[in-house]
């Protein structure tokens, strides 16, 4: 895979973010998602690669584009697997809340887990706490280990958890330890990635969220040298069968970072749509818009933050109706 692809994937997430940002706070999550999907798909068509969607908007009969198995790019080498979430946080954008991003991960063929669209129990930490946590360990044990690894007092530790009834016991356990909590309404990719960066105010992300989102976050943590562990959390027998169809025979298996994102030859890109833990949201100006993007390359460990100024006078060909 070539260095110039890094910037190409930044263009992909920028396009999705710009298109969906027009819908912030307008109460129409479907329109926001559709705008992001179409914009992202249009830019993928221009990239020199032979890509296959392994995590996307659903099966072929469920999604008109960016569906699982869809081919992306010009069809030229390199051959890659692609995981996308054109709008991670549809409810966030609909309500004008914080933390929505457009995100993509790309790895050499076979380098990403083909995660079914179901829940996954997860824990994520940055490089300094790598090896200090275990998904099956008690909450207190994990937090004590992370605090020690980060050389922090327990009451200075911040844990991000999705605000769901299923996490009530976990939330009480974290509080009993004396650690701080940031409850989020949706979108756990951004805080999982933020664990790997000092200054974001996020030390640990834990709890049950989407399995596809777990793979996307794992790709970033692979680039950063962080750690993520997960285990599928099926709700019914249909979930179990869905996992088996995608090649996951044991839904109870502890999934390590090597299972979720097995290749160092991996790219990750995300652009903020609304203000978040790691990225600023899209800002519209008299001339156009400003985006904030992070791109990572696993093989080199390079991380770039890109502030891009987009001029609407020179409308990009991926511009959507109503997006600009």
């Amino acid at each position: 895979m070539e260095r110039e692809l890094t910037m190409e994937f930044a263009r992909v997430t920028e396009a999705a973010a710009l298109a969906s940002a027009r819908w912030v706070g307008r109460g129409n999550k479907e329109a926001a998602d559709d705008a992001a999907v179409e914009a992202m798909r249009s830019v993928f068509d221009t990239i020199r690669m032979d890509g296959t969607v392994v995590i996307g908007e659903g099966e072929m009969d469920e999604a008109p584009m960016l569906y699982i198995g869809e081919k992306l790019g010009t069809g030229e080498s390199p051959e890659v697997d692609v995981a996308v979430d054109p709008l991670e946080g549809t409810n966030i954008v609909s309500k004008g809340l914080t933390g929505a991003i457009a995100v993509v991960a790309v790895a050499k063929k076979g380098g990403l887990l083909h995660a079914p669209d179901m829940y996954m129990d997860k824990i994520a930490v940055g490089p300094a706490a790598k090896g200090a946590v275990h998904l099956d360990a008690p909450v207190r044990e994990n937090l004590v280990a992370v605090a020690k690894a980060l050389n922090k007092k327990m009451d200075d530790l911040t844990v991000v958890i999705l605000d769901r009834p299923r996490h009530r016991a976990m939330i009480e356990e974290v509080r009993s330890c004396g650690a701080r909590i940031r409850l989020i309404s949706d979108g756990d990719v951004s805080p999982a990635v933020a664990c790997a960066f000092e200054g974001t105010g996020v030390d640990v992300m834990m709890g049950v969220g989407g399995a596809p989102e777990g793979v996307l976050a794992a790709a970033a943590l692979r680039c950063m040298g962080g750690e993520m562990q997960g285990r599928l959390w099926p709700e019914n027998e249909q979930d179990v069968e869905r996992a088996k169809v995608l090649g996951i025979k044991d839904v109870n298996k502890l999934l390590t970072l090597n299972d979720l994102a097995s290749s160092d030859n991996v790219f990750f890109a995300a652009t903020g749509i609304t203000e978040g833990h790691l990225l600023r949201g899209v800002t519209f100006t008299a001339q156009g818009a400003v985006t904030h993007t992070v791109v990572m390359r696993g093989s080199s460990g390079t991380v770039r933050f890109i502030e891009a100024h987009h001029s609407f006078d020179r409308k990009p060909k991926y511009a959507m109706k109503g997006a600009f």
Side-chain angles (χ1 to χ4, degrees), residues 111 127 136 204 244 263 271 296 320:
D136 295 332
V204 187
K244 289 180 179 178
S263 173
T271 300
M296 309 177 190
M320 297 289 300

Side-chain angles (χ1 to χ4, degrees), residues 186-206:
D186 295 279
D188 63 4
V189 174
S190 180
V193 177
C195 291
F197 292 86
E198 292 186 16
T200 61
V202 181
D203 300 306
V204 187
M205 190 285 294
M206 61 171 62

Side-chain angles (χ1 to χ4, degrees), residues 17-93:
L18 284 166
S20 60
R22 281 293 190 193
W23 294 95
V24 170
R26 293 172 63 182
N28 192 335
K29 64 181 183 180
E30 290 81 10
D33 191 51
D34 288 347
V37 169
E38 189 170 343
M40 180 175 278
R41 182 65 177 80
S42 296
V43 180
F44 266 127
D45 282 342
T46 69
I47 299 177
R48 188 170 64 84
M49 68 177 193
D50 181 4
T52 303
V53 177
V54 297
I55 290 175
E57 294 293 287
E59 303 295 333
M60 185 183 300
D61 57 351
E62 299 173 350
M65 58 184 70
L66 294 180
Y67 55 81
I68 296 171
E70 184 178 11
K71 302 297 291 185
L72 300 176
T74 61
E76 303 170 76
S77 180
E79 190 174 9
V80 296
D81 285 347
V82 181
V84 303
D85 196 341
L87 171 47
E88 208 237 346
T90 54
N91 287 322
I92 291 173
V93 167

Side-chain angles (χ1 to χ4, degrees), residues 289-311:
V290 181
T291 56
H292 190 216
T293 300
V294 60
V295 289
M296 309 177 190
R297 185 173 174 231
S299 59
S300 64
T302 302
V303 178
R304 291 181 173 89
F305 284 92
I306 303 169
E307 180 181 284
H309 294 250
H310 307 266
S311 173

Side-chain angles (χ1 to χ4, degrees), residues 59 114-118 232-251:
E59 303 295 333
H114 297 193
D117 187 9
M118 58 184 287
L232 294 178
W233 206 68
E235 295 184 280
N236 49 48
E237 195 59 36
Q238 287 74 24
D239 280 349
V240 175
E241 290 303 314
R242 187 179 296 115
K244 289 180 179 178
V245 168
L246 291 178
I248 303 173
K249 297 179 181 179
D250 182 7
V251 295

Side-chain angles (χ1 to χ4, degrees), residues 78-297:
E79 190 174 9
V80 296
D81 285 347
V82 181
V84 303
D85 196 341
L87 171 47
E88 208 237 346
T90 54
N91 287 322
I92 291 173
V93 167
S94 174
K95 297 176 181 180
L97 303 176
T98 61
I101 60 173
V103 58
V104 60
V106 181
K108 71 175 184 179
K109 188 174 178 61
L112 298 173
L113 179 73
H114 297 193
D117 187 9
M118 58 184 287
Y119 286 131
M120 177 185 285
D121 192 11
K122 297 174 273 190
I123 186 167
V125 294
K130 184 175 182 178
V133 299
H134 195 284
L135 187 65
D136 295 332
V139 169
R140 180 177 292 274
E141 184 177 316
N142 277 327
L143 295 187
V144 168
V146 172
K148 181 179 180 180
L150 299 182
N151 195 27
K152 283 188 173 185
K153 296 178 180 178
M154 181 63 74
D155 58 3
D156 291 333
L157 208 64
T158 301
V159 184
V160 172
I161 305 174
L162 278 167
D163 189 4
R164 300 288 187 272
R166 61 178 177 266
H167 292 146
R168 284 174 185 164
M170 176 182 289
I171 290 167
E172 289 307 311
E173 287 185 75
V174 174
R175 286 173 175 164
S176 71
C177 294
R180 308 190 317 154
I181 298 177
R182 289 188 185 178
L183 295 176
I184 57 173
S185 62
D186 295 279
D188 63 4
V189 174
S190 180
V193 177
C195 291
F197 292 86
E198 292 186 16
T200 61
V202 181
D203 300 306
V204 187
M205 190 285 294
M206 61 171 62
V208 176
E213 288 81 0
V215 175
L216 284 161
L221 290 167
R222 178 92 188 188
C223 293
M224 292 292 298
E227 182 170 9
M228 172 174 276
Q229 295 176 11
R231 179 178 288 111
L232 294 178
W233 206 68
E235 295 184 280
N236 49 48
E237 195 59 36
Q238 287 74 24
D239 280 349
V240 175
E241 290 303 314
R242 187 179 296 115
K244 289 180 179 178
V245 168
L246 291 178
I248 303 173
K249 297 179 181 179
D250 182 7
V251 295
N252 296 311
K253 178 184 177 182
L254 176 69
L255 301 169
T256 66
L257 194 64
N258 284 335
D259 296 309
L260 297 165
S262 60
S263 173
D264 283 333
N265 203 356
V266 60
F267 294 87
F268 176 90
T271 300
I273 301 170
T274 62
E275 197 80 12
H277 297 94
L278 183 64
L279 297 167
R280 300 190 301 275
V282 175
T283 302
F284 291 100
T285 68
Q287 294 75 35
V290 181
T291 56
H292 190 216
T293 300
V294 60
V295 289
M296 309 177 190
R297 185 173 174 231

